[in-house]
Amino acid sequence: MIFDLITIFPEFFGGPFDCGILRRAREQGLIDIRVHDLRAFTSDKHRTVDDRPFGGGEGMVLKPEPVFAAVESLFGGAEPPPDAEVILLSAQGKLLTHSLAEQLAKRKRLVLICGRYEGVDERVAAHLATLELSIGDYVLTGGELPAAVVVDVVTRLLPETLGCDLSAVEESFTTHPRAQISAGGILDCPHYTRPADFRGHAVPEVLLSGHHEEVARWRRRAALEKTLRNRPDLLDRAPLSDADRAWLEEVKKK
C-alpha cells in the first residue's frame, strides 16, 4: 500500500508514523508513506497556495492549480488507476467508518489531500478527488490529523501488519464474517488482564473459569451492555438475535 500525503506542512508527519505498528509496517515494506509539499507545485516566486474566496467571506481558500499539479505528478499526468483513491480530507466529506476503511484497505494507493484554511477550491472535490472524507462531525485546523488517522486505520487492516490477522476481526465495529463477539458493528467487549484483583476490583469469575462457551456468552452480553451504555445508536442497525434482545431488555430494567 502506498500513501501519498499532500500538505503545506510536511514537517507535521515527522513523528506520527515512526512508532508502533506503523513503524514496523514501514520497515517490513508493507506500506510506503510519501509526503509531498504542496508549495513545490506552485508556479509563482512566492509559492502561493491560497487566495481569497469569490463572493467574499472570511478566511482563505486553497487554490486548485497546485493541488491538481501535485496529484497529476503522482500518475505521470494520467488518470489515477482503478486501484487508487484520491481523497480530499474535509469537514464536508463522507464520514469515515470501519466498513469504509475496509474498502480503502483493498486499494493499492491512497492519495490524501490535506485541506487548510477556510477550505479547498470546490473544483478539487468535484473534478479531482474520488472521495471527500471526514473523520467526524467537528472542524479541525487542517487535514493533517485526519490524514494520519486514515493511514493508521487502513494500515492495521492490511494483511500481516498486526502479526495476527484475527486481531482486526474481534474488535469494535467490525463486519467481518468470522467475528464472534462484535459481529454486526457493536462495540467490543471489556478486556481484563493480571492481577485478578486490583484494589478490590475483581475480574469477572467467568473469565477465570476456563469454560469457553460461558466466556463467549459473557463477552457477547458484556459487549451488548457496553454498546447500550455508550453507543445505543449502533443497536438500531445491528443484526441481533432473540437472545441478544432478551438480554438487552434485562439490562434496561436494572
Side-chain angles (χ1 to χ4, degrees):
M1 169 75 78
I2 298 174
F3 296 95
D4 291 286
L5 282 63
I6 300 174
T7 173
I8 62 172
F9 294 117
E11 63 275 13
F12 177 93
F13 298 105
F17 304 136
D18 294 331
C19 305
I21 290 171
L22 291 177
R23 177 178 178 178
R24 186 169 68 241
R26 295 177 71 186
E27 292 174 345
Q28 294 176 347
L30 299 174
I31 62 172
D32 183 6
I33 301 175
R34 306 170 183 178
V35 181
H36 310 276
D37 187 349
L38 182 63
R39 296 188 188 278
F41 299 92
T42 56
S43 56
D44 66 306
K45 66 178 182 179
H46 299 295
R47 305 177 76 196
T48 306
V49 295
D50 61 326
D51 208 336
R52 296 187 180 280
F54 283 122
E58 299 298 323
M60 303 290 280
V61 177
L62 281 181
K63 294 163 62 66
E65 302 101 309
V67 180
F68 271 76
V71 173
E72 290 168 352
S73 72
L74 302 177
F75 302 103
E79 292 288 321
D83 58 5
E85 197 88 49
V86 179
I87 302 172
L88 172 62
L89 284 312
S90 161
Q92 291 78 43
K94 185 176 183 179
L95 190 64
L96 176 63
T97 62
H98 192 83
S99 60
L100 180 52
E102 290 174 333
Q103 295 176 39
L104 295 177
K106 297 176 182 178
R107 302 286 192 265
K108 291 186 177 180
R109 190 169 191 173
L110 299 183
V111 180
L112 302 170
I113 304 170
C114 302
R116 272 280 161 177
Y117 309 123
E118 190 63 24
V120 181
D121 188 291
E122 184 63 20
R123 287 165 289 191
V124 172
H127 305 293
L128 179 64
T130 56
L131 175 64
E132 192 171 3
L133 189 63
S134 168
I135 65 167
D137 293 336
Y138 44 83
V139 179
L140 296 166
T141 56
E144 285 75 19
L145 277 171
V149 168
V150 172
V151 172
D152 188 290
V153 71
V154 171
T155 295
R156 67 189 309 280
L157 293 173
L158 300 176
E160 302 181 43
T161 56
L162 295 182
C164 175
D165 289 342
L166 286 178
S167 296
V169 173
E170 295 287 4
E171 60 184 7
S172 300
F173 311 115
T174 184
T175 57
H176 197 287
R178 294 177 63 184
Q180 299 300 314
I181 299 167
S182 49
I186 68 173
L187 300 182
D188 196 3
C189 66
H191 296 282
Y192 296 88
T193 187
R194 293 176 178 81
D197 189 292
F198 176 69
R199 297 183 178 178
H201 304 293
V203 172
E205 286 289 337
V206 64
L207 299 180
L208 309 176
S209 68
H211 194 299
H212 298 300
E213 289 185 8
E214 289 298 324
V215 169
R217 185 179 298 108
W218 179 89
R219 285 176 169 167
R220 178 65 181 181
R221 289 182 170 185
L224 288 166
E225 185 173 357
K226 193 163 192 175
T227 303
L228 178 64
R229 183 172 66 250
N230 294 343
R231 289 292 305 277
D233 57 296
L234 296 177
L235 296 173
D236 293 336
R237 54 181 181 272
L240 303 178
S241 67
D242 291 340
D244 290 338
R245 297 183 188 281
W247 170 250
L248 287 171
E249 288 303 316
E250 287 185 34
V251 173
K252 292 176 183 178
K253 294 176 182 178
K254 291 182 180 179

